[in-house]
Amino acid sequence: MVEDNMGELERNSLVHELTQGRDLTRQLQAHFHHASPSSSHEAQERLLLRILLSYNSALSMLSWNDASGLLRLSPGKNPTSRDFPEPDYKEHGGTDIDNNSIGDSGNNRKGMPRWTKRVRIPHGTAIEGQLDDGHSWRKYGQKDILRAKHPRGYYRCTNRGSQGCLATKQVQRSDEDPAIFEITYRGRHTCSHASISIDPSSSLPENENSNDVLIVEAQPQQQQHQQANLEQRKDHDELLDFYKSLAIITEGSSKNTLAAFSLPSIPSELHQLYPPFDAFNFSEDVTTCELFRENQNFHSQEDSKLDPAVFAASSVATSSRTNSRAADARGSLDYILDPAEFNTSSGNAGISSK
DNA sequence: ACAATTTGACCCTA
DNA sequence: TAGGGTCAAATTGT
């Protein structure tokens, strides 16, 4: 049944998720067996979170395939080309990025996966941080959209030139709620060095990524402990910030819910503080995830600051500046939330060994 | 000097 | 043909 509906790529994705879950579990095991300054409680929580995300991801894939046999993408998506976005994006006008002529077969740019994420940016929050999805983007255009109050920003992967990565995204501030930004992604990344890529495995800090072995560089013991404490605290703060900024709002049409799960690994203190952090829901055509802060107080005083140019912020340097650990969690979450990534996570960028 | 962003013009599609 | 998407020269930032 599942097998019937599931293509090789989906199966590979599933295997990848499960394998990752197993590997992460081993890492967690290593934490228990070799207690070291780096085996902080937070580090274990992170691993636990990743494991859960991984397994939920796998389960979600099964749900999708069971439910529909297809991962649903935006209208107009060519169902036969859903497995992987071909490098079919032949640019008009200027130089062709690739000479691949697949586009001629009707498999044009509309055949690329497309999904939307809605992000709420509380006032006073650094936009770059909130919108940082782990990839480097370069803005290539901005346009006023009919009947939209705010202009739409157009971004492409900075690795387009060097690696021919065709991923793009559009960012548009919501009319109704200026604190909300709609980010529409198109095409998946085929570049190999997204800093905190959607591929969770590549987002792991090096010492957690290598199998079972935690490498702590030799340092004077006191310094070691101080640093460990410092990092632990930093981690904790970042995680706290991260969790605070997260709460998933159910997409209006709950009828389309395909997967939902809870995250019991969230530290209980945070759970108490931010009870809405409970479940993810997926809608049918476009997956919408609203990152929502439990802060009712923000209003648009600060919005004017965000407005210009649909915040040329999001991109390039920001991801590399982001603390890798807190960003890891975001990266993993993005991965979970993006159906197109489920669909194609066995692609080259997704699980490239490094 | 190089990289990133801005912006008006152009291209493509419905 | 209108409107969205992209190009590329000009501008700004580092």
Side-chain angles (χ1 to χ4, degrees):
Chain A
M1 181 61 168
V2 170
E3 288 293 313
D4 290 340
N5 287 330
M6 196 177 253
E8 178 138 12
L9 279 160
E10 285 85 353
R11 198 157 47 238
N12 287 341
S13 300
L14 193 56
V15 170
H16 167 61
E17 285 302 331
L18 293 170
T19 306
Q20 183 172 279
R22 184 198 57 194
D23 293 344
L24 289 167
T25 308
R26 282 180 180 157
Q27 288 176 34
L28 187 60
Q29 190 178 34
H31 273 252
F32 288 133
H33 290 168
H34 319 289
S36 74
S38 64
S39 313
S40 66
H41 181 65
E42 274 71 26
Q44 292 170 11
E45 293 283 1
R46 272 197 306 279
L47 277 173
L48 212 49
L49 180 60
R50 284 207 193 97
I51 292 166
L52 278 168
L53 290 172
S54 210
Y55 283 128
N56 278 308
S57 172
L59 285 169
S60 300
M61 282 183 226
L62 285 169
S63 299
W64 264 312
N65 281 280
D66 279 342
S68 62
L70 288 175
L71 176 66
R72 299 194 189 262
L73 296 168
S74 298
K77 175 93 180 74
N78 177 2
T80 61
S81 64
R82 69 195 173 82
D83 287 339
F84 197 85
E86 300 289 344
D88 56 3
Y89 184 172
K90 192 177 177 190
E91 297 198 317
H92 62 274
T95 52
D96 290 346
I97 290 304
D98 58 72
N99 295 323
N100 197 325
S101 57
I102 294 170
D104 295 338
S105 61
N107 193 11
N108 60 22
R109 86 181 55 165
K110 281 190 301 181
M112 302 181 99
R114 174 182 163 151
W115 64 102
T116 298
K117 196 158 97 174
R118 300 178 76 202
V119 180
R120 167 162 268 172
I121 311 291
H123 101 271
T125 307
I127 309 165
E128 317 86 71
Q130 294 293 313
L131 291 180
D132 177 16
D133 52 16
H135 290 283
S136 295
W137 301 96
R138 173 172 296 183
K139 189 172 188 178
Y140 65 89
Q142 176 172 307
K143 193 145 178 80
D144 287 320
I145 299 303
L146 203 71
R147 287 183 287 278
K149 287 181 195 160
H150 308 282
R152 179 177 298 167
Y154 298 88
Y155 300 81
R156 65 165 59 108
C157 178
T158 52
N159 298 319
R160 167 171 288 215
S162 55
Q163 296 180 41
C165 180
L166 301 174
T168 63
K169 74 172 178 182
Q170 301 176 0
V171 180
Q172 177 135 39
R173 190 170 210 167
S174 163
D175 283 347
E176 302 82 48
D177 185 348
I180 290 179
F181 295 86
E182 291 190 3
I183 307 172
T184 301
Y185 294 89
R186 275 190 185 172
R188 63 178 275 102
H189 286 270
T190 56
C191 55
S192 59
H193 52 60
S195 59
I196 323 155
S197 85
I198 276 164
D199 164 24
S201 62
S202 71
S203 72
L204 298 175
E206 213 160 327
N207 62 343
E208 290 186 19
N209 202 14
S210 54
N211 276 345
D212 296 354
V213 184
L214 297 174
I215 301 166
V216 181
E217 284 194 28
Q219 293 176 37
Q221 210 170 22
Q222 195 180 356
Q223 192 184 334
Q224 209 178 80
H225 276 117
Q226 280 174 353
Q227 178 148 351
N229 285 340
L230 214 85
E231 294 215 340
Q232 197 170 318
R233 227 174 124 166
K234 207 167 140 198
D235 279 354
H236 187 275
D237 289 348
E238 296 234 354
L239 276 173
L240 182 67
D241 277 351
F242 174 52
Y243 289 131
K244 276 196 294 190
S245 73
L246 277 180
I248 307 306
I249 297 175
T250 308
E251 173 77 351
S253 51
S254 58
K255 63 182 188 305
N256 290 326
T257 296
L258 292 171
F261 52 88
S262 60
L263 292 165
S265 68
I266 305 243
S268 55
E269 77 218 69
L270 299 178
H271 219 295
Q272 282 171 1
L273 280 170
Y274 305 100
F277 189 43
D278 271 336
F280 297 97
N281 288 283
F282 298 90
S283 68
E284 184 174 324
D285 286 329
V286 176
T287 292
T288 298
C289 157
E290 292 195 4
L291 304 179
F292 173 75
R293 193 169 211 164
E294 268 289 274
N295 175 2
Q296 307 290 356
N297 294 330
F298 71 84
H299 287 301
S300 48
Q301 330 146 309
E302 289 256 334
D303 287 347
S304 53
K305 285 191 195 166
L306 311 182
D307 212 47
V310 191
F311 53 92
S314 62
S315 21
V316 185
T318 61
S319 48
S320 50
R321 278 192 228 115
T322 311
N323 176 285
S324 62
R325 300 181 189 206
D328 277 347
R330 285 193 286 271
S332 302
L333 221 67
D334 273 350
Y335 177 77
I336 288 300
L337 293 168
D338 293 344
E341 295 301 331
F342 281 125
N343 201 23
T344 56
S345 64
S346 60
N348 47 3
I351 51 173
S352 62
S353 52
K354 201 166 146 219

